[in-house]
Amino acid sequence: MKFAITGGDGAVGHHVVALARRAGHETVVISRRMGVDLMRADGLTERIAGADAVIDLASPTTLSTRKIVAFFTSSARNLATAEQRAGVGHHVALSIIGATEYPSGYYAGKAAQEEIVTTSRTPWSMLRTTQFHEFAQQTVNRGTIAGFHISPKMRAQPLAAADVAVELLLIAEGAPRGLEPDLAGPREEYMPDMVHRYARAVGKRNPLLSVSMPGVAGRAMRDGSLLAAPATRTTTQTFAEWLSSLQEWKGL
Ligand SMILES: NC(=O)c1ccc[n+]([C@@H]2O[C@H](COP(=O)([O-])OP(=O)(O)OC[C@H]3O[C@@H](n4cnc5c(N)ncnc54)[C@H](OP(=O)(O)O)[C@@H]3O)[C@@H](O)[C@H]2O)c1
């Protein structure tokens, strides 16, 4: 099969691309590094032509809610238009548990994206998950402010991006099936603790500042509303196991 994967070099996207290639599928990566900006969509229809599914795993890095909402709105609309022009019959989306219930900050963007995907003429599948273990890595990689690593105060139930990628590929290989059962990690963690442990593991010694994020999503992060409901499917790899498996700091 052929899959067009937006964000195909991102935290979850690169796992999907690797898995798909290993399974013998053809992959087309869509990102600015690969010459396509989803906000402008020049050449997008041509890039996704012939794909059995588009797997949308792009994400903005800005902290501005206005820019986040603009990113997810434009990218989802541009993809829907290109899919209709190219005759692509399956759009696979990845969202976050709680995005539509607590639509502020990043989650406002995800809620806008969900709305466009689920009302598009392209048949779709959507998986909602909790945060990735890699969220801690992304937070540290974003750098420091006044010498501090910054983490949101957040009760999380993280899972490995690699486990999410396995699910996404299975979904893309099948027929469109709407909203998938949610997927979450095996246990609750505290995000500032995850960020601190990741930073120490890669030899970064800066102090950590945990901050209360604004809005309904910020409150939900703090009060545990973003944890998975009790009956939610869970993966098995814990944050500690993920951390100890990381190649980049093995042997340090
Ligand atoms: N991280 C989490 O904890 C988490 C949890 C649940 C769901 N999700 C969802 O998973 C998806 C992927 O997230 P991630 O954390 O894996 O992302 P990520 O590591 O931040 O990677 C983002 C990707 O998007 C691409 N991108 C950014 N702006 C673009 C643009 N204007 N045009 C084209 N490509 C663009 C980037 O490549 P370029 O910079 O080269 O453009 C990169 O490949 C998102 O939908 C996110 O909401 C994430």
Side-chain angles (χ1 to χ4, degrees):
M1 298 178 81
K2 178 175 174 181
F3 299 124
I5 301 157
T6 74
D9 37 22
V12 66
H14 84 277
H15 285 296
V16 174
V17 170
L19 279 176
R21 288 181 182 161
R22 223 174 295 146
H25 300 304
E26 186 183 341
T27 58
V28 177
V29 172
I30 292 169
S31 66
R32 288 168 301 181
R33 242 162 297 170
M34 297 303 287
V36 180
D37 185 344
L38 287 168
M39 300 290 282
R40 295 154 49 89
D42 298 337
L44 190 54
T45 306
E46 294 73 17
R47 281 296 174 98
I48 68 172
D52 294 286
V54 168
I55 310 174
D56 183 13
L57 303 173
S59 179
T61 45
T62 175
L63 291 176
S64 149
T65 299
R66 186 181 58 76
K67 289 182 183 165
I68 291 165
V69 172
F71 174 86
F72 281 116
T73 303
S74 297
S75 59
R77 283 202 187 122
N78 288 337
L79 280 170
T81 303
E83 285 161 355
Q84 282 144 38
R85 286 189 185 139
V88 173
H90 192 183
H91 179 96
V92 179
L94 176 62
S95 195
I96 306 178
I97 292 173
T100 52
E101 291 95 329
Y102 309 103
S104 70
Y106 188 87
Y107 286 36
K110 295 303 288 181
Q113 181 190 37
E114 284 203 16
E115 172 70 20
I116 294 164
V117 169
T118 56
T119 55
S120 156
R121 291 208 299 275
T122 309
W124 55 274
S125 303
M126 184 184 297
L127 175 68
R128 291 177 179 145
T129 73
T130 46
Q131 284 62 48
F132 305 154
H133 296 324
E134 286 81 351
F135 190 103
Q137 184 175 31
Q138 291 169 322
T139 304
V140 170
N141 287 350
R142 240 168 253 143
T144 55
I145 298 178
F148 288 90
H149 291 300
I150 309 291
S151 167
K153 289 183 180 167
M154 179 178 198
R155 294 174 62 189
Q157 195 173 330
L159 78 179
D163 288 334
V164 176
V166 170
E167 284 287 315
L168 288 169
L169 186 61
L170 278 174
I171 293 168
E173 288 171 335
R177 45 196 205 200
L179 194 58
E180 290 289 314
D182 290 350
L183 187 66
R187 49 168 288 176
E188 181 176 344
E189 306 279 356
Y190 189 50
M191 188 57 74
D193 181 49
M194 289 168 59
V195 172
H196 176 78
R197 286 159 71 190
Y198 178 83
R200 288 294 179 272
V202 296
K204 297 196 171 158
R205 293 252 155 299
N206 303 64
L208 181 96
L209 190 64
S210 52
V211 297
S212 293
M213 300 303 282
V216 286
R219 198 170 320 124
M221 286 177 187
R222 294 189 295 279
D223 72 12
S225 299
L226 298 178
L227 300 174
T232 305
R233 292 183 302 152
T234 54
T235 56
T236 56
Q237 191 186 47
T238 63
F239 180 72
E241 288 164 350
W242 172 81
L243 200 52
S244 63
S245 74
L246 280 186
Q247 292 301 321
E248 70 182 64
W249 67 280
K250 267 191 175 162
L252 280 180

